[in-house]
Amino acid sequence: MFFLILGVALFFAMHMVPSTSIKAAMVTRLGVMPYKGVFSVISIVAVALIVYGLGEASFQALWTPPVWARSLLISIMPIVSILWVVAEIKNNLKRLVRHPMLIAMVIWGAGHMIANGDLATTLVFASFASFSLLNIFMVNARGTYKAPEPVSMLWDVAAILIGLALYGLLFYFHGSFTGMPLR
């Protein structure tokens, strides 16, 4: 459980940096691209520690997941996958959804937490969901939302289709990278 907790702590400590003056100091000292490189490397190391820690953690049940939880999770994940894509490419959906990545992470974390019920996964998924929810409130407190400029609706169609393709890949290969096949 040590590596799991270390990975979670490192991941969220690094993801708090952009909300602080530390980011500006790092960008001034290193430059934008080296800062992004350091941020990415530390994030990748943290995710690797989380994955390793999950693999090493002993199963400690906290609750018995409800029978419907797996079906609910499978049915909400296409929305999550679409929101992940919406957050990363230009589209008009961002005009409707202010925080697509953070909302996706809240849904992803809460859904997986309910569907698993053990200590290790609860630590991971509750951390991601809580951090994302907190981040939504912090960003909203900074001021009003300036929606992006409208773009061709083809970008919306692309975001949805890419999101559904991502969902298909995640569904198909879920067992390969989590050890829990869905098919």
Side-chain angles (χ1 to χ4, degrees), residues 51-113:
V51 170
Y52 179 77
L54 277 171
E56 294 294 305
S58 61
F59 184 84
Q60 297 175 22
L62 297 176
W63 65 83
T64 302
V67 176
W68 48 263
R70 183 177 189 271
S71 297
L72 173 69
L73 184 56
I74 289 171
S75 66
I76 63 174
M77 282 306 296
I79 297 165
V80 169
S81 298
I82 291 168
L83 287 171
W84 282 335
V85 174
V86 165
E88 298 302 321
I89 67 172
K90 61 183 176 178
N91 58 73
N92 295 304
L93 301 171
K94 287 181 189 177
R95 298 168 58 76
L96 303 171
V97 181
R98 182 174 180 180
H99 308 288
M101 179 64 74
L102 296 174
I103 291 169
M105 295 307 291
V106 170
I107 297 168
W108 173 81
H112 278 81
M113 193 170 59

Side-chain angles (χ1 to χ4, degrees), residues 98-159:
R98 182 174 180 180
H99 308 288
M101 179 64 74
L102 296 174
I103 291 169
M105 295 307 291
V106 170
I107 297 168
W108 173 81
H112 278 81
M113 193 170 59
I114 293 166
N116 284 286
D118 66 288
L119 179 61
T121 59
T122 297
L123 175 66
V124 171
F125 296 123
S127 297
F128 275 92
S130 300
F131 178 84
S132 298
L133 195 57
L134 176 65
N135 215 351
I136 288 170
F137 290 120
M138 288 171 51
V139 171
N140 286 347
R142 287 188 208 143
T144 59
Y145 178 56
K146 183 181 181 305
E149 293 297 318
V151 295
S152 167
M153 284 184 58
L154 291 175
W155 285 103
D156 301 336
V157 172

Side-chain angles (χ1 to χ4, degrees), residues 14 23 26-27 30-44:
M14 192 63 203
K23 178 185 176 184
M26 288 179 73
V27 168
L30 301 173
V32 173
M33 293 312 288
Y35 162 78
K36 287 182 177 183
V38 169
F39 186 93
S40 297
V41 167
I42 292 173
S43 295
I44 290 167

